[in-house]
């Protein structure tokens, strides 16, 4: 069911008029136009409608996109399985299908899968893309993100997963921007540990690019928002501090803690990255 139709059904089932639902939130015409024509609506306005109807945003999102999300999830899962099985021929066929699906639907979800696996196959040496094509993916993703004022889980994941193709200036700018809006994101981002993933990925990426002064900036910013129970991030920060302070015991202690708590993959990566 389309989201506007779903909102209307919730309202009618609860015996609430358009006038009562919109009172103090928007004009009745705004609500009426959304219900009948499906015109775009401000996210905060929609949340207030749902709150008045005693419907959670999670429930609304699930019911309004259940069938679509199920199909998308199946495609995403299939692509992941093919990649890890190294079925690169099958992946190339799927990429061609994704191109057609995106062209016909203009649904950015399909474009992000297309970009993700095209870049993955380029990294594997199966496909070859030039800098112009790489820039095309980067620019299109940045344009999509720029149009959305308040990022949800999908947008945050886009930024995290494609960070490695973005320019350093863009990565630093967006982290600063997101940090300024962290209260808006607090509940969703804590649930999926998105701020943690953003900062860790940025630290790794900028260290790899030898932007060491920016790594220290990211660390300082990260320490102001880090969750008190986020052991992994605290230890990784301690490791990087040991690197910059040339403090071998501090580095080794951080690695030991990671391995003690079964985070060997992170310890191994840090050793490979920083030596």
């Amino acid at each position: 069911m389309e989201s506007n139709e779903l909102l209307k059904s919730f309202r009618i089932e609860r015996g609430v008029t358009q006038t009562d639902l919109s009172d103090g939130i928007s004009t009745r015409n705004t609500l009426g136009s959304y219900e009948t024509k499906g015109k775009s609506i401000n996210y905060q306005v929609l949340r207030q409608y749902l709150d008045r109807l005693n419907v959670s945003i999670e429930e609304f999102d699930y019911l309004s996109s259940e069938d679509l999300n199920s199909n998308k999830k199946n495609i995403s899962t299939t692509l992941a399985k093919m990649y890890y099985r190294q079925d690169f021929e099958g992946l190339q066929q799927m990429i061609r299908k994704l191109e057609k699906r995106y062209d016909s639907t203009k649904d950015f979800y399909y474009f992000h899968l297309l970009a993700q696996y095209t870049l993955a196959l380029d990294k594997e040496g199966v496909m070859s893309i030039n800098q112009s094509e790489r820039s095309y993916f980067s620019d299109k993703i940045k344009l999509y993100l720029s149009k959305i004022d308040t990022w949800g889980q999908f947008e945050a994941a886009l930024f995290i997963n494609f960070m490695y193709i973005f320019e350093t200036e863009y990565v630093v700018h967006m982290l600063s921007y997101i940090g300024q809006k962290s209260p808006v994101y607090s509940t969703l981002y804590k649930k999926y540990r998105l701020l943690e993933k953003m900062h860790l990925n940025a630290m790794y990426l900028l260290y790899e690019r030898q932007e060491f002064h920016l790594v220290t900036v990211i660390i300082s910013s990260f320490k102001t928002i880090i969750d008190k129970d986020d052991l992994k991030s605290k230890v990784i920060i301690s490791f990087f501090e040991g690197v910059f302070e040339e403090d071998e015991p501090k580095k080794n202690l951080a690695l030991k803690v990671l391995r003690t708590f079964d985070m060997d993959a992170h310890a191994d990566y840090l050793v490979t990255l920083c030596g």
Side-chain angles (χ1 to χ4, degrees):
M1 183 181 294
E2 296 295 330
S3 58
N4 61 311
E5 297 171 347
L6 182 61
L7 180 68
K8 183 177 180 179
S9 69
F10 276 134
R11 179 181 62 77
I12 293 172
E13 287 170 0
R14 287 157 178 74
V16 179
T17 67
Q18 287 185 341
T19 299
D20 288 339
L21 181 55
S22 60
D23 184 39
I25 299 175
S26 70
T27 65
R28 190 195 66 78
N29 285 341
T30 296
L31 172 59
S33 180
Y34 176 64
E35 285 189 350
T36 58
K37 300 178 183 178
K39 290 188 174 181
S40 61
I41 193 168
N42 182 280
Y43 178 71
Q44 293 302 324
V45 170
L46 177 58
R47 289 201 66 153
Q48 289 180 75
Y49 289 157
L50 295 173
D51 184 63
R52 187 163 289 175
L53 294 171
N54 295 316
V55 176
S56 71
I57 191 67
E58 291 81 10
E59 178 185 7
F60 183 78
D61 284 343
Y62 176 78
L63 291 174
S64 63
S65 57
E66 182 177 7
D67 292 339
L68 182 59
N69 282 344
S70 177
N71 183 47
K72 289 178 177 178
K73 185 175 181 180
N74 288 338
I75 293 174
S76 180
T77 300
T78 299
L79 288 165
K81 288 180 178 178
M82 294 173 76
Y83 180 75
Y84 288 114
R85 289 199 310 263
Q86 295 193 317
D87 180 7
F88 296 147
E89 183 177 343
L91 265 178
Q92 291 181 80
Q93 293 175 1
M94 286 292 292
I95 284 172
R96 289 191 286 271
K97 291 179 180 178
L98 285 170
E99 289 176 331
K100 292 179 180 178
R101 182 160 297 204
Y102 174 66
D103 287 341
S104 63
T105 65
K106 299 305 178 186
D107 187 330
F108 201 80
Y109 186 87
Y110 299 117
F111 180 84
H112 108 276
L113 290 177
L114 166 65
Q116 178 181 342
Y117 285 97
T118 299
L119 290 164
L121 290 184
D122 174 63
K123 186 176 181 180
E124 295 285 350
V126 177
M127 295 179 66
S128 179
I129 62 173
N130 57 37
Q131 185 55 46
S132 176
E133 292 169 311
R134 193 180 183 87
S135 296
Y136 168 72
F137 287 134
S138 174
D139 292 345
K140 199 167 182 69
I141 292 167
K142 288 192 292 185
L143 179 61
Y144 173 84
L145 292 175
S146 71
K147 293 178 180 179
I148 301 174
D149 186 52
T150 304
W151 290 1
Q153 184 186 1
F154 175 68
E155 288 75 30
L158 267 181
F159 178 63
I160 293 167
N161 294 336
F162 288 95
M163 189 182 291
Y164 72 100
I165 67 170
F166 298 146
E167 303 90 344
T168 295
E169 293 78 9
Y170 178 77
V171 172
V172 174
H173 169 73
M174 292 312 301
L175 275 177
S176 174
Y177 172 74
I178 291 164
Q180 293 169 14
K181 298 191 67 173
S182 59
V184 177
Y185 298 130
S186 58
T187 301
L188 176 67
Y189 279 30
K190 282 183 179 180
K191 180 178 179 181
Y192 297 103
R193 306 191 82 95
L194 296 173
L195 286 175
E196 171 198 345
K197 294 174 183 176
M198 286 181 190
H199 284 79
L200 290 179
N201 272 24
M203 287 160 55
Y204 297 153
L205 177 67
L206 296 178
Y207 190 93
E208 190 175 85
R209 293 180 179 178
Q210 299 187 355
E211 301 277 7
F212 302 129
H213 66 295
L214 291 177
V215 178
T216 60
V217 171
I218 298 299
I219 288 174
S220 297
S221 171
F222 193 16
K223 289 170 76 171
T224 66
I225 60 172
I226 198 169
D227 288 343
K228 62 182 180 180
D229 61 343
D230 188 355
L231 173 66
K232 177 179 69 179
S233 295
K234 289 179 179 178
V235 176
I236 291 174
I237 285 174
S238 179
F239 175 86
F240 275 107
E241 289 175 338
V243 170
F244 294 126
E245 295 164 8
E246 298 184 352
D247 187 336
E248 286 297 319
K250 190 171 186 177
K251 284 173 53 181
N252 292 334
L253 177 60
L255 295 173
K256 182 178 179 180
V257 172
L258 289 173
R259 296 192 191 284
T260 299
F261 287 91
D262 297 323
M263 291 184 274
D264 298 74
H266 292 281
D268 292 342
Y269 181 76
L270 289 172
V271 171
T272 301
L273 180 67
C274 304

